[in-house]
Amino acid sequence: MWNYSMLPSDMDILPKLAKHSIAAGIVMAILGLLALIYPFYGSLATVVFVAWVMVFAGFAAGYATVRTNPKDWLGWLKAFILVITGLLMVFWPGVGIQAVGLMLAIYFLLDTFAGFALGSMMKPAKGWWLWSLNGFVSLILALIFLTSWTSIQETAWLIGIFVGISLLFDGLMLIFMGNKLKKIDEPEEKA
C-alpha cells in the first residue's frame, strides 16, 4: 500500500515530514469530526470554500485572458461565469449547497454505470462482484442525493457527512503516515 520508494532521498527531511504530516492529520481529523457533528456547518464551509476558489479562478482566468489574448471572448466568458457563480454561492449558499448536491448525484450516477460496466466486463474473473457491489452502492447514494436535492437542509446534511468522513479518514491516514515516517527515521538515530 505504501510506496516507500517515493520518499525523499534526503533522509534529514523525514522528521519534518513526519511532524507536519501528523499535525496536518490532526487538524483534518478534527475538522472531519466537527463536520460530522455539525453537518450543516461542514456543508456551508465546503460550499463557501469552493465558491471562493471559483472566484479566484475566475480572476486568474481573466488575468490570463488579458495577458494572452484580450480579444478572446471565450476566455472572458469563462472568467465571468466563474466569478458570477462563485459570488452567487458566497451570497446565497443555499444555491451552492444544492449545486454541490446535484454534482454529487451526477457523480454517483456515473460511478454506478462504471461499476456495473466493469463488473460485467470482469465477470468470469475473481472479485468481479466487488465492482457490481460498488455500482449498487453508488446507485443508492445517487438516489439518496437525488431524492433530497430539493431540500437544502437534507442536501447540506448529506454533504456535511460526506465531507466529514472524507476529512476524518484523510486525517487519520496522514497521522498513520507520519507515524510510519517516524519509525523509518528512528533506526538511524539509534545507530
Side-chain angles (χ1 to χ4, degrees):
M1 181 172 146
W2 292 95
N3 186 357
Y4 292 110
S5 65
M6 296 192 61
L7 288 174
S9 58
D10 182 10
M11 295 303 269
D12 293 336
I13 203 167
L14 284 182
K16 289 181 184 176
L17 187 59
K19 182 177 102 176
H20 294 306
S21 293
I22 292 171
I26 290 170
V27 169
M28 288 177 73
I30 290 171
L31 289 174
L33 283 173
L34 287 173
L36 285 170
I37 295 169
Y38 304 106
F40 181 79
Y41 295 111
S43 176
L44 191 62
T46 301
V47 166
V48 169
F49 175 77
V50 169
W52 281 112
V53 167
M54 290 177 74
V55 169
F56 289 124
F59 283 122
Y63 178 76
T65 302
V66 166
R67 299 290 293 171
T68 58
N69 185 4
K71 295 180 181 179
D72 179 19
W73 67 273
L74 286 175
W76 288 113
L77 181 63
K78 178 181 181 176
F80 178 76
I81 289 173
L82 282 168
V83 170
I84 293 301
T85 304
L87 290 175
L88 180 70
M89 289 170 66
V90 167
F91 293 114
W92 290 282
V95 172
I97 288 170
Q98 286 184 304
V100 171
L102 184 59
M103 286 189 315
L104 285 171
I106 292 169
Y107 165 76
F108 286 124
L109 282 174
L110 292 173
D111 195 46
T112 297
F113 294 122
F116 286 140
L118 283 169
S120 67
M121 285 173 38
M122 295 180 61
K123 190 158 189 172
K126 185 177 179 182
W128 68 269
W129 61 274
L130 288 172
W131 287 107
S132 297
L133 178 64
N134 176 51
F136 184 70
V137 170
S138 293
L139 177 63
I140 291 171
L141 292 172
L143 292 174
I144 290 171
F145 269 98
L146 284 173
T147 56
S148 68
W149 181 66
T150 56
S151 168
I152 293 174
Q153 290 81 13
E154 288 179 31
T155 305
W157 184 81
L158 287 171
I159 293 169
I161 295 292
F162 274 67
V163 169
I165 290 170
S166 178
L167 283 172
L168 177 63
F169 280 98
D170 287 346
L172 292 175
M173 289 309 298
L174 280 172
I175 293 168
F176 175 77
M177 184 183 78
N179 285 327
K180 285 287 187 188
L181 290 174
K182 273 185 175 179
K183 289 178 183 175
I184 290 173
D185 189 47
E186 285 174 2
E188 291 182 12
E189 290 178 3
K190 293 178 183 176

